Amino acid sequence: MKKLLLVLVLVFSQLSFAQTAKEIIDKNIELSGGLTSWKLLNSVLLQGKVILGIKDEYPIKIYQQRPNLTKTVLTINGKETAIEGYDGNKGYAMNYATNKLQVYPDYVSESFDNDFIDWENKGFEAKYLGKEKVGEIYCHKVELTKNVNKNLYYFDTKTYMLLKEIKREETLSYSDYKKVGNLLMPFRIESSSSKKDGDFVMLLNKVEINKVFPTNIFKF
């Protein structure tokens, strides 16, 4: 009887955690604009500046469009220079040894939506891992798993906004949320990794949504 009770406790505990993880994700989507508004988002143009290392600072524009089109442009010495992108067929990035854009056959494009939009339909499993501090803010810690890939997400326990995301090779921090249309978006994004070669801080001053981009904007 004791063993049966223990098994039932464990089962209900796991169900409770799974439900809690789903509730936290649902709350984030709801409070950041709602699922309908996120699904109606078809394109975004991010503008601001990016800080690389200690002193290197450049104006930046990032174009993104469903389903996975993207292009990042830096202004260097007064000239706009594409440094990375995916045009639907080819992934390309700057080869700094030759100072030219180069096609990378193994380039992996990222989905326009984040993982926790429709996470169940994408085949993810969600697990609630309790509360943990990010800086001085208590966060709900949620793990999304698909096959061997695991990502950790930290949601502010008060606002339910995403403050931190840990991927396999990169940690992203989000802050300074502002309203863009019906959506709440972070205007400060910080990236760090163990290699430290791609670390950056991006400070946005303008975000435009559902713009119609020129048809060739993403082309290599």
Side-chain angles (χ1 to χ4, degrees), residues 32 37-38 40-47 62 64 112 178-185 187 206-213:
S32 63
S37 292
W38 281 111
L40 289 174
L41 180 65
N42 290 308
S43 69
V44 61
L45 172 57
L46 311 173
Q47 299 182 69
I62 300 176
Q64 295 177 333
F112 183 79
K178 295 178 183 178
K179 199 111 182 239
V180 181
N182 294 325
L183 303 172
L184 273 173
M185 294 185 172
F187 274 59
K206 188 177 183 180
V207 176
E208 298 176 82
I209 60 176
N210 290 331
K211 285 178 67 68
V212 178
F213 297 132

Side-chain angles (χ1 to χ4, degrees), residues 197-212:
D197 55 353
D199 291 6
F200 67 82
V201 176
M202 185 160 57
L203 304 172
L204 302 176
N205 54 39
K206 188 177 183 180
V207 176
E208 298 176 82
I209 60 176
N210 290 331
K211 285 178 67 68
V212 178

